[in-house]
Amino acid sequence: MSKTEALPLYERKHLTKIIPRLIELTILFLCFSLLGYRLLHLKNHGFIWLVALLCESWFTFIWIVVVNIKWNPIAIKTYPERLLQRNLELPPLDMFVTTADPVLEPPIITVNTVISLLSVDYPANKLACYLSDDAASPLTYFCLVEASEFAKLWIPFCKKYNVPVRAPFRYFSDQSLFTGNSSSEFQEDWNIMKDEYRRLCQKIEEAAQKSVPCELTGDFAAFVDIDRRSHPTIIKVISENKEGLPDGLPPIVYISREKRPNHAHHFKAGAMNVLARVSGVMTNAPFMLNVDCDMFANNPQVVLHAMCLLLGVKDETDCGFVQFPQQFYDGLKDDPFGNQMVVMIKYLGRGLAGHQGPLYGGTGCFHRRKVIYGSSPEDKSGHGKMNTGDLEKAFGKSTKFNKFVAQALSSSSRTAECPESISKSIDEACQVASCGYEYGTAWGKEIGWIYGSTTEDVLTGLNIHWRGWRTMWLRTNPNGFLGSAPSCGPNTLIQQKRWSTGLLEVLFAPKSPFFGTLFGKLEFRQCLNYLFFLLWGPRSIFEICYAALPACCIFTNTNFLPKVNEPAILIPISIFVVFNTYCVSEYIQTNQSIKSWWNNHRMARIIAMTAWLCGFLSAIFKILRLSVTVFEVTKKEQSSSTDESEEKLGRFTFDNSPVFVPGTTILMVNLTALGIGFLDFMQGNGGKIEWGIGELVCSIWVVLCFWSFLKGLLGKGKYGIPSSTVCKSAALAFVFVQICRSSWGI
């Protein structure tokens, strides 16, 4: 073995630091001290102290879970150059891109994602790109065809000049990405490519403005009179690379799975399972990458980095999948909507890497096909020797597909038997993409992407961890993938509502983390890691109750905090000061501003008391069979618009969604409390007042956290809270005040 072959393809580095650990334990000690104080004095106080005790017990439990996640942080460094020096044959990779709505997810965004994947630094004859279009849109197909023509020019240009970013819209819009090559040949080629991309954008824009992008004849005839909710399978092979050229254009396949009104299509999870089966029939790569339509490959070597882990582990059990963090481009200054997750990615991501591995995030993830097919770590070869009957029962009645399933399950993960021709597999691919193919099989239950939640990614990852697989978290420089974050209030809260709904569905699923620890191979500490996310919905109840406590105390002339002259007041003050100082330090260490910390802190409170609360109620109604959850697609934006200043883009916007009612209500409740408290002081009732400075400061803090809602009460248009929301919130606030005052006979 040569010296190069002996070097590892990756290294794990433990990042344990003493000071953060001590601070985390100090906060935990203070939390227990506060609970002890509550218990000792509970009999001398009433219902409000009991509510405070319950809320603070919950917050203490959440902090224990956070400390558990962050206790053993791990950083992984990969060496793609060593992988290339080994001269081994790189394994094939099937790349999946999903889109569901050409309006909310504009095709130009999808096109840039596809182009970035096609042009990564990896042999083209080892790649295949599949686009799943759940809208069955002729516009999306038209744009993909045009993009393939552009890619024939773009890929050689990128490889020739080692272009740092392979998504054209980013490369041509950011002058810092200009390679600095001063040769006349480069300048000429650069101008040609920019003109070609401009023409591509113009074609897509003109097509989007038409009711039909082009004449629906020839290759487009399948889209005539198409109904996105009821249509047959549409599969189009746009390119095939029959010559197997390593520098050519990888195969591109368009898929719109069959849909019928009386057949459940299971949202994105259903689309992903169709992609797994169609690719299994057409290319059958042992590894698969899935990205959302707005998550382009930002690092040209992203596939090589992932392969360093997938191929470099001594035991593939340690790397069931490789998850890249969701990071974003064109983020607004100081993160006004709190959705760029910079600190969470650094600290929680590395923390999860130190356990059984990160949760599956739904995008930017490299999978082993055998793992998606339900293989367990101990199934070294036996799983792949299932007889024909067992294969049909689990995977469906496609003889050709089951042949490749058996091969994928039993062979080395670096090799896979590939069908002779992609275009000759269309009929078989249409069969496995039909809406009735899964009935009576294990798809969505034991194999593939798991059904039962709108956050199918987390449920699928949980199923993988349940079976005993470990997973890897990889953050590269430059970032592996970049996407677009919601840039307005409604989109941010809609996304969070969908997540909290789906996560609570996972908690009550047959394969919840609790059962995974008791009956599966989910480690106990990994179970706690899952609970941090799955409990987003229930956290809203405690958050909103605690935010209402200071106002309730002012209404009822009681207190839930120690008086200023009591030594115990130092406990909540210490928690407040130490915790926020600790959080600010994390933002400073990640080169974030203090304003960014404040924006993330206030948005955390807003999201918890609005989006998570609505998501919690939505999930409960579904569990009680009073309603069904609906998958809400978040509007994707290519970049921050230049038509508006960054100050306007960072302003919170509102619409008529009920998600804004809880936040407006809690703001009105605390404003009313501050008004009543001020009147009490003005009327000279200071000697009779039981509530103190602690309750007053807490109420002011809640108002500050909801400052954007306060501005919304005075704003107009999209920057103002709709009158219908104001009326509903005012009525709820009035009812709350009356209940408080009547309960204490005031």
Side-chain angles (χ1 to χ4, degrees), residues 326-328 331-333 335-336 338-342 345 485 600:
Q326 292 191 44
Q327 296 174 286
F328 308 100
L332 296 174
K333 184 180 178 182
D335 193 12
N339 51 24
Q340 295 172 29
M341 301 184 291
V342 175
I345 286 171
N600 277 261

Side-chain angles (χ1 to χ4, degrees), residues 192-251:
I192 291 173
M193 289 311 308
K194 188 170 184 179
D195 289 340
E196 289 293 334
Y197 180 64
R198 187 184 298 115
R199 278 193 283 270
L200 173 64
C201 293
Q202 185 176 355
K203 286 181 181 179
I204 291 175
E205 184 177 350
E206 290 175 353
Q209 291 173 354
K210 300 176 183 177
S211 58
V212 179
C214 61
E215 291 186 13
L216 300 183
T217 58
D219 211 28
F220 289 85
F223 296 95
V224 175
D225 298 326
I226 200 76
D227 181 351
R228 62 183 298 175
R229 293 166 297 183
S230 180
H231 62 83
T233 300
I234 303 173
I235 297 180
K236 301 286 185 181
V237 178
I238 296 173
S239 72
E240 193 166 351
N241 194 11
K242 293 181 179 179
E243 299 81 8
L245 300 175
D247 296 324
L249 179 66

Side-chain angles (χ1 to χ4, degrees), residues 441-456:
T441 69
W443 285 101
K445 304 181 187 73
E446 300 293 335
I447 61 176
W449 277 257
I450 308 302
Y451 303 149
S453 170
T454 53
T455 52
E456 73 296 315

Side-chain angles (χ1 to χ4, degrees), residues 47 94 112 159 196 275 297 349 397 410 503 603 612 667 713:
F47 178 73
D94 289 336
N112 270 276
K159 302 292 177 68
E196 289 293 334
L275 285 168
K397 297 182 179 180
S410 62
L503 290 169
M603 281 303 302
W612 289 1
L667 172 65
L713 289 175

Side-chain angles (χ1 to χ4, degrees), residues 124-407:
N125 59 340
K126 298 293 184 179
L127 296 174
C129 184
Y130 295 83
L131 174 69
S132 171
D133 175 21
D134 255 10
S137 169
L139 173 62
T140 301
Y141 177 62
F142 170 82
C143 295
L144 191 61
V145 172
E146 293 297 327
S148 68
E149 294 300 318
F150 172 79
K152 293 177 182 177
L153 303 174
W154 176 251
I155 294 173
F157 172 77
C158 291
K159 302 292 177 68
K160 181 177 181 180
Y161 297 108
N162 194 26
V163 170
V165 174
R166 306 293 165 87
F169 87 98
R170 290 292 293 170
Y171 179 68
F172 291 120
S173 64
D174 190 343
Q175 291 298 319
S176 66
L177 298 176
F178 194 83
T179 60
N181 192 325
S182 59
S183 68
S184 58
E185 182 183 12
F186 170 76
Q187 297 287 347
E188 182 179 353
D189 288 348
W190 189 89
N191 288 323
I192 291 173
M193 289 311 308
K194 188 170 184 179
D195 289 340
E196 289 293 334
Y197 180 64
R198 187 184 298 115
R199 278 193 283 270
L200 173 64
C201 293
Q202 185 176 355
K203 286 181 181 179
I204 291 175
E205 184 177 350
E206 290 175 353
Q209 291 173 354
K210 300 176 183 177
S211 58
V212 179
C214 61
E215 291 186 13
L216 300 183
T217 58
D219 211 28
F220 289 85
F223 296 95
V224 175
D225 298 326
I226 200 76
D227 181 351
R228 62 183 298 175
R229 293 166 297 183
S230 180
H231 62 83
T233 300
I234 303 173
I235 297 180
K236 301 286 185 181
V237 178
I238 296 173
S239 72
E240 193 166 351
N241 194 11
K242 293 181 179 179
E243 299 81 8
L245 300 175
D247 296 324
L249 179 66
I252 305 173
V253 181
Y254 170 92
I255 303 170
S256 185
R257 57 187 170 131
E258 182 185 13
K259 282 189 177 181
R260 301 299 177 193
N262 57 338
H263 287 76
H265 57 81
H266 302 293
F267 310 110
K268 182 181 174 181
M272 293 303 302
N273 283 334
V274 168
L275 285 168
R277 293 195 296 271
V278 170
S279 65
V281 169
M282 288 187 158
T283 47
N284 196 36
F287 298 105
M288 303 180 291
L289 160 68
N290 88 276
V291 296
D292 289 341
C293 64
D294 66 323
M295 192 67 64
F296 68 86
N298 180 66
N299 188 327
Q301 292 193 320
V302 65
V303 178
L304 293 173
H305 282 288
M307 289 300 169
C308 285
L309 298 180
L310 292 165
L311 304 180
V313 291
K314 294 180 179 179
D315 186 346
E316 63 180 20
T317 300
D318 293 328
C319 190
F321 62 73
V322 177
Q323 177 67 61
F324 282 76
Q326 292 191 44
Q327 296 174 286
F328 308 100
Y329 60 87
D330 283 352
L332 296 174
K333 184 180 178 182
D334 298 322
D335 193 12
F337 299 106
N339 51 24
Q340 295 172 29
M341 301 184 291
V342 175
V343 173
M344 177 182 283
I345 286 171
K346 179 176 181 179
Y347 292 101
L348 294 189
R350 288 178 171 180
L352 289 169
H355 295 271
Q356 200 170 343
L359 284 63
Y360 170 34
T363 183
C365 189
F366 290 81
H367 304 269
R368 295 184 190 273
R369 184 178 288 271
K370 65 192 301 183
V371 174
I372 292 297
Y373 282 175
S375 175
S376 296
E378 62 271 15
D379 295 331
K380 301 298 183 183
S381 61
H383 197 147
K385 296 181 179 179
M386 299 167 65
N387 60 45
T388 302
D390 291 337
L391 286 170
E392 288 187 357
K393 185 177 180 180
F395 294 93
K397 297 182 179 180
S398 169
T399 303
K400 185 176 182 180
F401 175 62
N402 288 338
K403 170 189 173 184
F404 293 122
V405 166
Q407 191 273 336

